[in-house]
Amino acid sequence: MQLRMEITYVTKKGIKTNFSSDEMSTKAALELAEDLEKTGRVKHLTLLDEHDASWTLKQLRKFLEEVKTEPYHITVYFDGGFDRETRKAGLGCVIYYEQNEKSYRIRRNASVEGLVSNNEAEYAALHLGLTELELLEVHHLPVTFIGDSKVVVNQLNDEWPVYESELSSWLDRIENKIEKLGITPSYEVVSRKMNREADHLATQALGGIEITSHLEQ
């Protein structure tokens, strides 16, 4: 979750003014807010999340204490490959997250049939990542999804139109699952080199090698 602060500040001489901060992580917001409070000159401090919902410092402290026992700081890398000759697709996803102040990585792939294009395989790979998040019981948290498909990422960001019916169907499935989980998604496109873990998993799936691992980093 990203937060920004709106502050009413009063100097020693009684001059009052308002400030609004840039967005920052919850931990950074808490540290800065507590530091400002120590000055004794902050008369009003409001924390606002991405949905403009307001948080008090007490609520933020409680939230950060609760998420220590739940997955947080979640990033999902995804990639899909499609073999035109065999008409098979390989899906790969890698999930990084923190829980109980420890770091973890999940690696998962799958071989599927019935898809018609590489773009559809990319969508299916992202959906595989969402399924893993559901099993991890991730809910009502921000999640960053990273892939090397400009088509998929730009369509998910509503920057490119979706013309193919099969892609539109995957988009609906993904958005429905995200809404069900209460996830606040952000989507980023990277080079294949930066997405090599998920790419390798997708290639292994096409070769019939199944990978499922869940390890502490």
Side-chain angles (χ1 to χ4, degrees):
M1 178 169 63
Q2 294 289 301
L3 295 169
R4 70 181 190 278
M5 286 186 288
E6 292 187 352
I7 307 158
T8 300
Y9 187 85
V10 182
T11 68
K12 290 181 178 180
K13 293 183 179 181
I15 301 172
K16 184 187 293 185
T17 189
N18 297 318
F19 294 100
S20 181
S21 75
D22 294 329
E23 287 189 345
M24 64 190 80
S25 69
T26 51
K27 288 184 178 180
L30 178 61
E31 183 177 341
L32 184 56
E34 289 178 336
D35 192 64
L36 285 166
E37 275 203 334
K38 289 177 183 177
T39 67
R41 294 195 289 274
V42 174
K43 300 304 177 184
H44 178 73
L45 189 153
T46 301
L47 298 157
L48 299 168
D49 63 22
E50 300 99 326
H51 306 289
D52 287 329
S54 60
W55 295 65
T56 64
L57 271 179
K58 182 179 179 180
Q59 289 172 327
L60 184 58
R61 290 188 187 103
K62 183 180 179 182
F63 170 77
L64 287 173
E65 193 61 34
E66 288 174 348
V67 299
K68 285 182 181 179
T69 59
E70 297 181 4
Y72 61 99
H73 291 166
I74 305 162
T75 302
V76 179
Y77 289 83
F78 67 94
D79 195 34
F82 181 71
D83 189 322
R84 293 183 180 276
E85 291 185 6
T86 63
R87 311 299 291 177
K88 290 184 179 181
L91 319 178
C93 68
V94 185
I95 301 171
Y96 290 93
Y97 71 97
E98 295 177 35
Q99 189 172 16
N100 294 318
E101 300 183 351
K102 296 180 180 179
S103 299
Y104 296 90
R105 181 185 68 170
I106 294 174
R107 297 169 68 236
R108 177 85 163 85
N109 71 356
S111 176
V112 298
E113 298 182 359
L115 306 186
V116 299
S117 69
N118 194 75
N119 286 334
E120 192 179 5
E122 295 277 4
Y123 269 108
L126 193 155
H127 191 271
L128 177 67
L130 278 171
T131 301
E132 290 298 311
L133 293 183
E134 191 171 27
L135 293 172
L136 199 58
E137 297 185 349
V138 171
H139 59 89
H140 298 90
L141 287 171
V143 177
T144 301
F145 296 91
I146 300 176
D148 55 46
S149 170
K150 290 183 180 180
V151 171
V152 171
V153 172
N154 286 328
Q155 287 178 345
L156 287 165
N157 280 327
D158 293 325
E159 295 176 1
W160 288 8
V162 183
Y163 297 114
E164 298 87 346
S165 59
E166 65 273 8
L167 300 190
S168 180
S169 177
W170 277 108
L171 186 61
D172 289 341
R173 289 174 66 183
I174 287 167
E175 289 182 342
N176 288 338
K177 189 173 284 290
I178 283 174
E179 184 177 358
K180 176 185 175 183
L181 297 175
I183 287 172
T184 302
S186 61
Y187 303 102
E188 298 178 12
V189 63
V190 295
S191 66
R192 178 169 292 182
K193 182 179 179 181
M194 296 296 293
N195 197 33
R196 58 182 175 272
E197 274 192 296
D199 176 69
H200 186 54
L201 285 168
T203 301
Q204 286 178 308
L206 279 172
I209 301 171
E210 184 177 323
I211 304 292
T212 301
S213 69
H214 191 166
L215 301 171
E216 183 180 343
Q217 293 288 90

